[in-house]
Amino acid sequence: MLQFGPLRRRAWVALLSQLLRPPRPACTGAVRCHSQVAEAVLTSQLKPHQEKSNFIIKTPKGTRDLSPQQMVVREKILDMVVSCFRRHGGKRLDTPAFELKDFDIAGQFDPMIPDAECLKIMCEILSGLQLGNFLIKVNDRRIVDGMFAVCGVPENKFRAICSSMDKLDKISWKEVRHEMVAKKGLASEVADRIGDYIQCHGGVSLVEQLFQDSRLSQSKQALEGLGDLKLLFEYVTLFGIAEKISFDLSLARGLDYYTGVIYEAVLLETPAQAGEKSLSMGSVAAGGRYDGLVGMFNPKGHKVPCVGLSIGVERIFAIVEQRMKAFGETVRTTETQVFVATPQKNFLQERLKLIAELWDAGIKAELLYKNNPKLLTQLHYCESMGIPLVVIIGEQELKEGVIKLRLVASREEVAIKRENLVAEIQKRLSES
């Protein structure tokens, strides 16, 4: 199970610190996105309670250096995530929690509308990253607690049993049951009652079925959770993502601050080729409703309803890295579009004038920092770096007032009038 709790907690501490005390230099690290409406709500709700904050922000440990190839892959993942957040009205906020990308909606809104949007965002990001088939498991902490109560779990064992239950996606029910009974002291008949529920998963029909369950319907909080899940399924159907959502009674998200709906995205397939070792990485995104978390850090306990999601960027990065190794894929480490080359000596000045013209036109271009580079060396460099176009200038081209344009992939060469070169390059780049 992908645990986001401590990092989400630190991120909200950072947010509250900015709202409750004078501005300070922004922390380095990843970017948290939340809606502009949420920011306004938070600010208006917290202003009357402003006091000096004692929050301490700690920088997370466990960083690692990344190669240029790894940086390109990671930035593409982050760009996909952030662009989706922006599409949903997200606004940037720097936090030290660089391992994750989070999206939070804070404020008092009608039930399940922001929650459903969080699920939609997860679907958009995971579909865009093309990691393979995925499923988002949903449950509600009120249903979990209500189920424990009607099954006879002592209240002081709720969290311990919750932790065991959350392992059902990794080990069998037999092993989970053994842990509940032998290691955590739960009565065997109580464990069996729990087992009747937590092995169930489905869609809105399962929600309807549990409404009629004689035991679970005795719990008011479970019925509240089921009511919200029914509404949630109505909204995700309208969003066109219902087939990606599964009501899973084994999902517990063993974190105390969740108060309502909880969810976790898992990969169902891996990008490995047939016969190769599985690249399964478990959950890649998760979140839920945590209406009491902000109040925990406010001196007067002022509550702000919140729901959010976290994308496991580092885990996704590891999956993409392994997939690239499995398929032998390479990554361009430069965005250079055009390389300026010459086949002859003493043409540095002409190359510099030419590349300045390309830069001034907004074209990404480079050249070798040598007075007299060999043409073959220059062309090999372009092929190895994946640069699509080469412009070549020499004595003949200078005499005729043309520039030779070489397509690196096909090695085709055409002569272009010098005054038309920029327009021709821009045309070709726009078509590629």
Side-chain angles (χ1 to χ4, degrees), residues 289-308:
R289 177 158 289 279
Y290 49 105
D291 290 343
L293 181 59
V294 172
M296 291 169 57
F297 295 97
N298 182 266
K300 296 187 177 181
H302 186 72
K303 292 185 178 181
V304 179
C306 303
V307 64

Side-chain angles (χ1 to χ4, degrees), residues 125-175:
I125 290 172
L126 296 177
S127 296
L129 291 172
Q130 299 180 340
L131 300 175
N133 289 336
F134 63 90
L135 188 70
I136 301 177
K137 299 186 291 184
V138 301
N139 199 359
D140 193 293
R141 288 303 294 264
R142 293 168 295 179
I143 297 175
V144 174
D145 289 348
M147 174 184 66
F148 284 170
V150 299
C151 287
V153 179
E155 191 170 347
N156 62 358
K157 290 184 182 291
F158 273 23
R159 295 300 168 251
I161 300 304
C162 186
S163 176
S164 297
M165 186 178 88
D166 226 12
K167 299 177 182 178
L168 199 57
D169 61 338
K170 299 181 181 69
I171 60 178
S172 67
W173 162 242
K174 183 179 179 181
E175 292 171 294

Side-chain angles (χ1 to χ4, degrees), residues 198-330:
I198 67 174
Q199 297 179 80
C200 296
H201 54 85
V204 69
S205 59
L206 178 58
V207 177
E208 298 285 5
Q209 178 184 327
L210 292 176
F211 265 122
Q212 308 303 320
D213 183 87
S214 59
R215 184 186 294 136
L216 197 59
S217 60
Q218 297 174 24
S219 168
K220 180 181 178 181
Q221 60 179 339
L223 290 177
E224 290 175 352
L226 289 169
D228 277 351
L229 280 189
K230 183 178 180 181
L231 190 58
L232 181 69
F233 269 102
E234 178 182 332
Y235 294 154
V236 297
T237 300
L238 294 172
F239 282 154
I241 59 171
E243 74 282 356
K244 293 291 187 182
I245 312 299
S246 173
F247 176 24
D248 192 322
L249 282 161
S250 71
L251 181 64
R253 302 287 302 136
L255 298 170
D256 290 341
Y257 62 73
Y258 284 117
T259 57
V261 65
I262 50 179
Y263 35 82
E264 183 174 272
V266 295
L267 296 183
L268 299 181
E269 294 179 359
T270 66
Q273 294 175 336
E276 292 185 351
K277 185 178 179 180
S278 172
L279 303 180
S280 177
M281 298 293 289
S283 59
V284 291
R289 177 158 289 279
Y290 49 105
D291 290 343
L293 181 59
V294 172
M296 291 169 57
F297 295 97
N298 182 266
K300 296 187 177 181
H302 186 72
K303 292 185 178 181
V304 179
C306 303
V307 64
L309 65 98
S310 296
I311 303 296
V313 170
E314 298 304 324
R315 183 163 291 179
I316 292 172
F317 177 51
I319 294 172
V320 174
E321 271 196 307
Q322 291 186 51
R323 179 181 66 182
M324 292 176 63
K325 290 178 182 178
F327 286 90
E329 297 177 5
T330 58

Side-chain angles (χ1 to χ4, degrees), residues 178-197:
H178 175 77
E179 180 177 303
M180 288 179 175
V181 176
K183 297 182 179 180
K184 299 187 176 178
L186 191 67
S188 57
E189 63 272 15
V190 174
D192 290 336
R193 292 187 202 117
I194 293 173
D196 292 338
Y197 288 110

Side-chain angles (χ1 to χ4, degrees), residues 54-74:
N54 294 319
F55 299 140
I56 299 174
I57 309 301
K58 294 183 178 180
T59 302
K61 301 183 184 298
T63 61
R64 61 162 172 155
D65 293 332
L66 298 177
S67 69
Q69 291 83 1
Q70 290 173 319
M71 278 301 300
V72 171
V73 174
R74 195 173 190 278

Side-chain angles (χ1 to χ4, degrees), residues 325-394:
K325 290 178 182 178
F327 286 90
E329 297 177 5
T330 58
V331 176
R332 282 194 67 190
T333 58
T334 175
E335 296 183 7
T336 303
Q337 299 165 312
V338 181
F339 189 88
V340 178
T342 183
Q344 292 162 328
K345 294 181 179 181
N346 302 319
F347 262 77
L348 177 60
Q349 290 185 359
E350 293 299 330
R351 285 191 292 144
L352 293 178
K353 286 192 292 185
L354 185 54
I355 200 168
E357 186 178 338
L358 298 178
W359 287 336
D360 291 344
I363 296 170
K364 300 171 183 176
E366 63 176 294
L367 77 171
L368 284 188
Y369 303 131
K370 289 187 176 183
N371 277 309
N372 301 307
K374 294 181 179 179
L375 181 61
L376 191 59
T377 300
Q378 298 169 84
L379 297 180
H380 281 169
Y381 175 78
C382 293
E383 291 181 354
S384 65
M385 299 302 291
I387 300 173
L389 299 174
V390 182
V391 294
I392 302 173
I393 185 168

